[in-house]
């Protein structure tokens, strides 16, 4: 495997496989009995360079050094001289991409110092300028030198931490089964203070571990680490770490059904976003999380859109990774969609799709994009196309998060909704009924996170003519939403309308009229321009008029 991956990397870099062989299996056989192929820089041809838009000289300069060393280590004739496993190869490639020393090369002082200088050009330049003016500014020059040394020590500490962490998680070292991702992250939290002594560096490491936990849906462990970072950052006056930790802690609080705790955290992070030290990436998350949290709770304002637009603009800067740009574009697309700005939403989704097309392992992000595209197909009246896309999104969510994960359950609800629109309500009911106990166990029986699955189930019952079941489900739906969302939002209007329809289906018109009136008021108060919300509002108003007529008769 290592040899084959090296051969592929060789071809990607210089345009052909080692020794011009066309079959990787032939190369492996030849490697067993022959010497390693020619050096990477000698394999470059003018034609290969032209295909990459470079001269052969420039391409040689690009692949020489670390890349050539990595490929050579993969292609060594003896297996024991290659990387010990694929993870070791991955680690070296990632270290190369991050501008850090690769383990395939001897770790000489000159080599490590050179890598450090390339990673920290601005710091080294400032130090050099200070040295040039040393006679006039000896104190300043000494301080800058100390800063450079401190940065080098920090890099070495983090390398030591990661090496120790991998060692502790190794089965052969600990004598335990291989660590899972949560085990690995929790182990990192425990080991970090023993290796990283500087408080600022320790907070940076804790933030990285907590955010990885959040991405892995380990919300409570992540929240515990973030809470500690907030306390320490406040005491140290470290606004950058405080803002980053509060943004993520607020997001987790919202997603675990605790907006009361989440709102002040998100709001305070927003006040710190322009403080010194807050990076563009962190500003993207602060702005996007705050606006998305508000939107999810039914408080849709122009300020939310402005914040999401600011996050997208920030994400398009050169210092922000592409995946963070796609994240911000998806959230803005969602907000614009609820306001009827479908052309802008579609353009944002297409932009994100281009990014994910370059990310072959972005299963989770692709699933989210398919979910958004399914919504567009639904709004255009393409029920079959919407169902196909949301099924694909559901398969991606199961693969990414697990079949009983929160994300997979959320997408499953949208699958059921698409089935209802496609005339398959009876088939959707068992799936939704089976998911409710899992939801209750996951978020609690009184959480407003139950609102979406309850709404889908109520609609399935209504479409199947099971009005008594629809009534009890709609009543439960309103119960979990009261006090948690804006009573004059379209979200509450949908809940009250479902209850009114269930009662009307049982010819209990006076009772139905009460809920139909509440639904109509909520839709009128929000005055949403979203086509879907406008359709719901029109149907609710039509039901209100019918009930008023029936009651008067």
């Amino acid at each position: 495997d290592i040899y084959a991956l090296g051969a592929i990397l060789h071809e990607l870099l210089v345009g052909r496989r080692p020794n011009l062989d066309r079959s990787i299996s032939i190369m492996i056989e030849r490697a067993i009995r022959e010497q390693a192929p020619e050096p990477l820089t000698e394999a470059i041809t003018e034609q290969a360079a032209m295909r990459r838009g470079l001269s052969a000289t420039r391409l040689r300069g690009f692949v020489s050094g670390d890349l050539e060393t990595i490929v050579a280590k993969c292609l060594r004739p003896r297996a024991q001289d290659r990387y010990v496993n694929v993870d070791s190869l991955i680690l070296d490639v990632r270290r190369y991409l991050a501008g850090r020393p690769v383990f395939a090369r001897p770790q000489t002082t000159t080599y490590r110092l050179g890598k450090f200088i390339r990673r920290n050009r601005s710091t080294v330049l400032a130090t050099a300028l200070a040295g040039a003016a040393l006679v006039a500014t000896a104190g300043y020059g000494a301080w800058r030198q100390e800063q450079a040394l401190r940065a080098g020590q920090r890099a070495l500490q983090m390398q030591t931490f990661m090496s120790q962490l991998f060692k502790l998680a190794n089965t052969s070292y600990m004598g335990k089964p291989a660590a899972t991702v949560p085990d690995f992250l929790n182990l990192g939290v425990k080991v970090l203070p023993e290796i990283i002594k500087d408080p600022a560096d320790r907070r940076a490491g804790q933030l990285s571990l907590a955010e990885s936990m959040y991405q892995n849906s380990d919300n409570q462990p992540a929240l515990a680490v973030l809470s500690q970072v907030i306390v320490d950052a406040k005491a140290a006056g470290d606004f950058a770490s405080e803002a980053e930790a509060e943004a993520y802690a607020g997001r987790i609080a919202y997603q675990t059904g605790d907006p009361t705790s989440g709102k002040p955290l998100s709001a305070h992070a927003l006040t710190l976003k322009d403080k010194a030290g807050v990076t563009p990436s962190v500003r993207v998350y602060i702005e996007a999380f705050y606006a998305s949290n508000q939107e999810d709770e039914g408080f849709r304002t122009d300020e939310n859109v402005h914040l999401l637009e600011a996050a997208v603009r920030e994400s398009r800067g050169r210092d922000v990774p592409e995946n963070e740009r796609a994240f911000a574009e998806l959230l803005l697309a969602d907000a614009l969609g609820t306001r009827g700005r479908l052309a802008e939403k579609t353009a944002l989704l297409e932009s994100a799709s281009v990014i994910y097309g370059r990310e072959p392992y972005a299963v989770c992000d692709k699933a989210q994009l398919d979910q958004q595209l399914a919504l567009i197909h639904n709004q255009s009246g393409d029920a079959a196309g919407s169902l196909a896309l949301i099924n694909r999104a559901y398969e991606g969510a199961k693969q990414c998060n697990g079949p009983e994960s929160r994300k997979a359950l959320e997408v499953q609800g949208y699958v059921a909704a698409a089935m209802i629109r496609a005339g398959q309500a009876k088939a959707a009911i068992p799936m939704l009924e089976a998911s409710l106990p899992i939801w209750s166990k996951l978020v609690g029986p009184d959480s407003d996170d139950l609102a979406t699955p309850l709404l889908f189930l109520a609609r399935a019952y209504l479409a199947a003519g099971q009005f008594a079941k629809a009534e009890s489900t709609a009543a439960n739906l309103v119960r979990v939403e009261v006090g948690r969302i804006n009573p004059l939002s379209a979200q509450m209007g949908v809940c009250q309308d479902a209850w009114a329809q269930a009662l009307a289906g049982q010819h209990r018109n006076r009772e139905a009229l009460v809920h139909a009136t509440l639904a109509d008021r909520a839709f009128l108060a929000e005055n949403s321009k979203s086509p879907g919300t406008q359709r719901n509002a029109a149907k609710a108003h039509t039901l209100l008029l019918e009930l008023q007529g029936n009651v008067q008769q």
Side-chain angles (χ1 to χ4, degrees), residues 26 167 176 256 291 364 392 406 432:
I26 292 174
K167 182 178 180 181
K176 296 180 180 179
T256 54
C364 306
R392 195 166 72 189
R406 179 192 179 100
L432 290 168

Side-chain angles (χ1 to χ4, degrees), residues 416-499:
M419 291 173 69
I420 295 168
R421 289 190 294 272
Q424 304 172 28
K426 288 185 177 180
I429 288 173
M431 181 171 67
L432 290 168
E433 289 176 335
S435 73
L436 270 182
I438 304 172
W439 267 111
S440 296
K441 183 179 178 181
L442 191 65
V443 301
D446 299 318
S447 171
D448 65 332
D449 288 330
L450 291 172
T452 299
L454 285 170
L455 176 61
F456 289 145
L457 182 56
R459 285 178 167 173
Y461 284 141
L462 288 169
Q466 300 178 25
F467 298 112
K469 289 184 177 180
E471 178 194 353
S472 62
T473 304
N476 196 19
L477 167 62
V478 172
R479 178 186 66 82
V480 300
E481 290 285 52
V482 167
R484 293 188 171 105
I485 66 170
N486 185 353
L488 293 177
S489 65
Q491 191 172 344
M492 182 58 83
V494 166
C495 301
Q496 294 287 359
D497 179 58
W499 200 344

Side-chain angles (χ1 to χ4, degrees), residues 134-191:
L134 187 59
V135 174
T137 57
Y140 177 76
W143 178 79
R144 291 301 298 175
Q145 184 181 19
E146 176 61 26
Q147 290 294 100
L149 290 171
R150 178 74 187 86
Q153 291 168 354
R154 181 183 297 120
L156 186 58
Q157 283 181 338
M158 290 306 296
Q159 179 180 328
T160 303
F161 165 65
M162 291 305 299
S163 298
Q164 183 70 5
L165 187 55
F166 276 107
K167 182 178 180 181
L168 290 173
N170 192 296
T171 304
S172 61
Y173 180 81
M174 295 291 289
K176 296 180 180 179
T180 63
V181 172
D183 291 339
F184 188 80
L185 295 173
N186 284 315
L187 182 61
V189 171
K190 293 178 182 177
V191 172

